Amino acid sequence: MSKHVHLMCYRICVRALTAIITYHDRENRPRNGGICVANHTSPIDVIILASDGYYAMVGQVHGGLMGVIQRAMVKACPHVWFERSEVKDRHLVAKRLTEHVQDKSKLPILIFPEGTCINNTSVMMFKKGSFEIGATVYPVAIKYDPQFGDAFWNSSKYGMVTYLLRMMTSWAIVCSVWYLPPMTRETDEDAVQFANRVKSAIARQGGLVDLLWDGGLKREKVKDTFKEEQQKLYSKMIVGNHEDRSRS
């Protein structure tokens, strides 16, 4: 009953947003004991996916109204909520997620590995945490049609309430969702390589640009390690060209 009530509530939200959704390859929908990973454009991605299936959510514990909603949700469904101090403990997060996916009676976990909303044109770097626990990964590609309404949430420009009002007053939210075949980590593959392989599959299917940059850079300064990597590449180009000229 809880699962059907959740599904009904999400579908009511979809109607409120005037969303027109086309789901492809439904035979590949995520199953219990796995992890669903998708590209992230908007907070309504959760509603788009949960109106066609059942998922356990992962997130940080909030206060206020959001906290009330989270406590009510966890009573009816085994969602995975973390305290603010726990989120920084990667081992604890991995342990909680591993325990969840090992229980085949629990719903698949829905995760957006980019960690932030991207502008519906690209797929940015996937965080490797959800790819380290050895579970079956169910990739999902989401692509919005901006012709009737731009679904991208620019959190530095709009607050959540303003953004939702913009979505509800737009002509329509038109999007396509592709369920890709499940993927597992290969024996000669580390978590980063597995994450990149899944990301590339999502980008190809959704017609998105596959980028290696961390999406968090839109709010933070570029790390020194990234600068050093680019400097090394540039120096190799210069040195290589100099050596070629000396040979000739």
Side-chain angles (χ1 to χ4, degrees):
M1 182 180 292
S2 171
K3 290 166 65 176
H4 290 298
V5 169
H6 274 78
L7 190 64
M8 180 182 67
C9 291
Y10 284 119
R11 287 180 175 175
I12 291 173
C13 292
V14 165
R15 301 298 185 274
L17 292 168
T18 321
I20 302 171
I21 313 167
T22 305
Y23 297 99
H24 303 272
D25 304 319
R26 280 179 161 166
E27 66 275 9
N28 295 325
R29 280 185 294 187
R31 299 176 182 175
N32 290 6
I35 296 177
C36 173
V37 299
N39 59 300
H40 199 23
T41 305
S42 160
I44 66 174
D45 292 339
V46 175
I47 300 173
I48 297 296
L49 293 177
S51 63
D52 190 51
Y54 309 105
Y55 298 94
M57 309 298 173
V58 177
Q60 182 175 296
V61 174
H62 292 274
L65 177 60
M66 184 61 73
V68 173
I69 296 173
Q70 284 183 321
R71 288 190 292 272
M73 291 176 66
V74 81
K75 290 179 181 178
C77 182
H79 299 291
V80 184
W81 305 129
F82 294 97
E83 296 289 346
R84 186 179 298 273
S85 59
E86 295 176 337
V87 174
K88 298 179 181 179
D89 189 342
R90 292 180 61 252
H91 297 290
L92 177 61
V93 172
K95 182 175 181 293
R96 292 274 300 277
L97 295 180
T98 302
E99 290 173 350
H100 184 100
V101 297
Q102 286 178 346
D103 188 345
K104 300 301 181 182
S105 65
K106 292 185 177 180
L107 300 177
I109 296 176
L110 176 58
I111 295 177
F112 299 102
E114 289 167 300
T116 187
C117 294
I118 310 300
N119 65 357
N120 195 39
T121 63
S122 310
V123 183
M124 305 293 269
M125 183 180 74
F126 278 7
K127 304 294 190 298
K128 66 177 182 178
S130 54
F131 299 90
E132 290 178 324
I133 61 179
T136 300
V137 171
Y138 295 86
V140 176
I142 306 173
K143 177 66 174 178
Y144 291 90
D145 186 346
Q147 185 174 358
F148 300 101
D150 185 8
F152 169 55
W153 180 36
N154 187 345
S155 56
S156 61
K157 188 176 181 180
Y158 302 109
M160 176 62 77
V161 175
T162 303
Y163 169 76
L164 290 177
L165 287 174
R166 286 172 58 87
M167 291 298 95
M168 295 178 72
T169 54
S170 62
W171 283 103
I173 303 298
V174 182
C175 74
S176 296
V177 176
W178 290 272
Y179 297 107
L180 280 67
M183 302 174 70
T184 55
R185 183 173 166 181
E186 297 177 354
T187 54
D188 59 342
E189 192 173 47
D190 61 25
V192 174
Q193 292 171 332
F194 183 30
N196 289 334
R197 183 161 61 90
V198 173
K199 178 168 67 73
S200 297
I202 291 174
R204 283 195 304 271
Q205 183 62 73
L208 303 165
V209 180
D210 184 3
L211 298 176
L212 295 175
W213 289 98
D214 186 349
L217 289 175
K218 67 182 184 180
R219 295 189 185 89
E220 302 172 357
K221 293 183 179 179
V222 179
K223 296 179 181 179
D224 291 336
T225 54
F226 289 163
K227 294 180 181 179
E228 290 172 1
E229 287 178 5
Q230 296 302 315
Q231 290 168 352
K232 289 178 181 178
L233 290 174
Y234 184 71
S235 65
K236 287 180 180 178
M237 291 171 58
I238 299 299
V239 173
N241 292 336
H242 178 73
E243 289 178 350
D244 292 340
R245 286 196 300 269
S246 63
R247 290 195 188 98
S248 60

